[in-house]
């Protein structure tokens, strides 16, 4: 397993996204999810990614149980800031200092750990200035409850403002063959020494060829995602077919090719990048980790890079569409 720096942390070059183990992508299976986490650890994955919103705390509890006897093998990353306590339809993005401290205490309790290795603000806050929230997060570092700080889905100006308050180890953003918005922030990230943690590197599964809305469970949130809607999906399916065809020619899976592209592209951009593909399948964990050993010659990225221009539909679902009301 290769490792890469995120701030002062040395993390596995691929992490594991745990969100779908609790909700959003259909029925969850506790035992299968635990097996997936254990398989990841056995393969050398150290960065496990969760959030207090996933399953309304369920995901942190699950992850805490999974690592209870292997804490020394794990770097725990979790997030706070999206308050869904009044209902999913009335979510707020919060960042006031008292809320920051309460969220951290609650996550530590659910995870059953004494500190969080990488603590993210899930989105820029709607109620206070970003710098005030980061200041409260910095106090958690000083208290020994958090080791490194991260931000999710921020622009370059927001990253600079936050970094001036306390060093930011990583920006987590959606990044894949069909979602490349964060590349606009990369020059600032490279300048400040901030790493990229890419969520949904498989296009929420679409790039693996599993983009047919009819194949998704009734309670799968991707049914409402713009790129999975019928008209958009018909266009995007051609993209997934291109990935699948090229992968078959190389003797690998579409998922492995999509991940290998992230690694190749991050080297071109000159930043540390750690994709965190999400799955509750031990078999898919092993398949994804194998992508670390797949080299791509220059011809492959050259064929794949233009695909982002062919994507139909916005990448933002309801959660990703949050924007701060405070103008920074």
């Amino acid at each position: 397993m290769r490792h890469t720096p995120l701030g002062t942390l040395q993390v596995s070059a691929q992490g594991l996204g745990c969100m779908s183990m609790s909700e959003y992508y259909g029925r969850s299976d506790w035992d299968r999810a635990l097996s997936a986490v254990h398989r990841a650890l056995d393969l050398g994955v150290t960065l496990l990614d969760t959030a207090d919103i996933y399953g309304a705390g369920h995901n942190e509890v699950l992850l805490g149980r999974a690592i209870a006897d292997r804490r020394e093998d794990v770097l725990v990353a979790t997030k706070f800031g999206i308050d869904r306590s009044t209902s999913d339809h009335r979510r707020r993005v919060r960042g006031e200092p008292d809320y920051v401290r309460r969220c951290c205490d609650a996550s530590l309790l659910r995870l059953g750990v004494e500190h969080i290795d990488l603590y993210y603000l899930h989105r820029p806050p709607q109620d206070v200035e970003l710098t005030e929230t980061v200041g409260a997060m910095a106090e958690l570092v000083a208290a020994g409850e958090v080791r490194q700080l991260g931000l999710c889905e921020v622009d370059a100006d927001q990253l600079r403002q936050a970094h001036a308050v306390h060093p930011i180890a990583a920006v987590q953003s959606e990044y894949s063959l069909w979602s490349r918005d964060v590349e606009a922030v990369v020059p600032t990230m490279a300048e400040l020494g901030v790493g990229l943690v890419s969520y949904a590197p498989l296009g929420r599964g679409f790039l693996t060829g599993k983009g047919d809305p009819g194949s998704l469970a009734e309670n799968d949130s991707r049914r409402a995602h713009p790129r999975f809607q019928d008209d958009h999906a018909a266009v995007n399916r051609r993209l997934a077919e291109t990935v699948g065809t090229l992968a078959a020619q190389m003797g690998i899976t579409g998922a492995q090719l999509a991940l290998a592209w992230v690694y190749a592209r991050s080297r071109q951009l000159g930043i540390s990048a750690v994709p965190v593909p999400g799955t509750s399948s031990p078999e898919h964990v092993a398949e994804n980790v194998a992508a670390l050993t797949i080299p791509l010659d220059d011809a492959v990225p050259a064929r794949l890079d233009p695909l982002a221009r062919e994507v139909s539909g916005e990448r933002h679902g309801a959660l990703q569409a949050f924007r701060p009301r405070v103008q920074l």
Side-chain angles (χ1 to χ4, degrees):
M1 175 60 69
R2 297 200 311 266
H3 290 78
T4 192
L6 293 178
T8 63
L9 303 174
Q10 286 289 326
V11 307
S12 55
Q14 185 177 128
L16 176 64
C18 299
M19 180 192 76
S20 63
M21 297 177 183
S22 294
E23 64 173 336
Y24 296 118
Y25 285 11
R27 187 178 67 86
S28 59
D29 184 319
W30 178 278
D31 291 334
R32 187 165 182 257
L34 292 180
S35 295
V37 174
H38 294 155
R39 181 67 170 136
L41 298 181
D42 291 342
L43 291 170
V45 172
T46 63
L47 184 65
L48 302 180
D49 186 84
T50 182
D52 61 4
I53 191 178
Y54 301 160
H58 175 279
N59 203 241
E60 289 183 326
V61 172
L62 185 153
L63 187 56
R65 298 284 182 85
I67 67 172
D69 60 350
R70 302 186 66 172
R71 178 65 177 102
E72 67 280 2
D73 300 331
V74 175
L75 294 169
V76 175
T78 192
K79 314 173 198 69
F80 78 97
I82 299 176
D83 181 359
R84 62 190 292 192
S85 60
T86 58
S87 79
D88 279 336
H89 298 294
R90 300 176 62 187
R91 293 173 177 170
R92 295 182 296 156
V93 185
R94 300 175 60 183
E96 66 270 27
D98 286 346
Y99 178 76
V100 174
R101 287 187 285 271
R102 291 198 306 273
C103 285
C104 183
D105 288 344
S107 287
L108 289 169
L109 180 63
R110 286 189 291 264
L111 288 162
V113 298
E114 295 183 353
H115 67 268
I116 295 164
D117 297 293
L118 179 56
Y119 200 39
Y120 292 102
L121 174 62
H122 213 151
R123 294 292 185 274
Q126 296 171 304
D127 55 351
V128 297
E129 298 285 350
L130 175 62
T131 51
E132 184 175 352
T133 303
V134 176
M137 295 169 70
E139 293 178 4
L140 299 175
V141 177
E145 296 180 348
V146 169
R147 293 178 63 190
Q148 295 280 282
L149 301 184
L151 302 173
C152 299
E153 298 284 8
V154 292
D155 61 31
D157 289 341
Q158 291 167 333
L159 176 57
R160 286 187 183 279
Q161 292 172 23
H163 197 79
V165 176
H166 188 280
I168 301 300
V171 166
Q172 184 170 138
S173 183
E174 182 175 359
Y175 189 57
S176 69
L177 277 166
W178 76 350
S179 296
R180 298 175 59 177
D181 295 354
V182 74
E183 289 187 359
V185 189
V186 162
T188 302
M189 295 169 61
E191 175 191 337
L192 299 177
V194 178
L196 171 65
V197 175
S198 56
Y199 75 85
L202 305 181
R204 306 174 195 274
F206 200 103
L207 297 174
T208 68
K210 300 174 182 177
D212 183 359
S215 68
L216 303 177
E218 289 296 328
N219 61 339
D220 193 312
S221 65
R222 289 174 292 184
R223 284 179 169 270
H225 194 280
R227 292 181 179 178
F228 285 76
Q229 296 298 299
D230 289 342
D231 291 344
H232 296 308
V235 175
N236 295 331
R237 196 170 291 113
R238 293 196 293 270
L239 182 152
E241 290 170 353
T242 298
V243 173
T245 298
L246 181 56
Q249 292 171 356
M250 298 173 64
I252 60 178
T253 68
Q256 290 171 332
L257 178 56
L259 288 167
W261 177 88
V262 172
Y263 294 122
R265 182 60 180 162
S266 67
R267 289 192 291 271
Q268 292 177 341
L269 295 173
I271 58 170
S272 297
V274 183
V276 286
T279 181
S280 57
S281 163
E283 295 76 20
H284 288 164
V285 167
E287 175 186 333
N288 293 339
V289 168
L292 284 159
T293 65
I294 297 171
L296 297 184
D297 60 38
D298 292 342
V300 177
R303 182 173 176 185
L304 294 175
D305 286 352
L307 295 179
R309 295 193 293 269
E310 303 174 14
V311 177
S312 179
E314 295 295 323
R315 76 175 179 90
H316 299 292
L319 177 60
Q320 288 76 27
F322 278 124
R323 288 294 182 268
R325 285 196 285 264
V326 177
Q327 295 301 309
L328 302 176

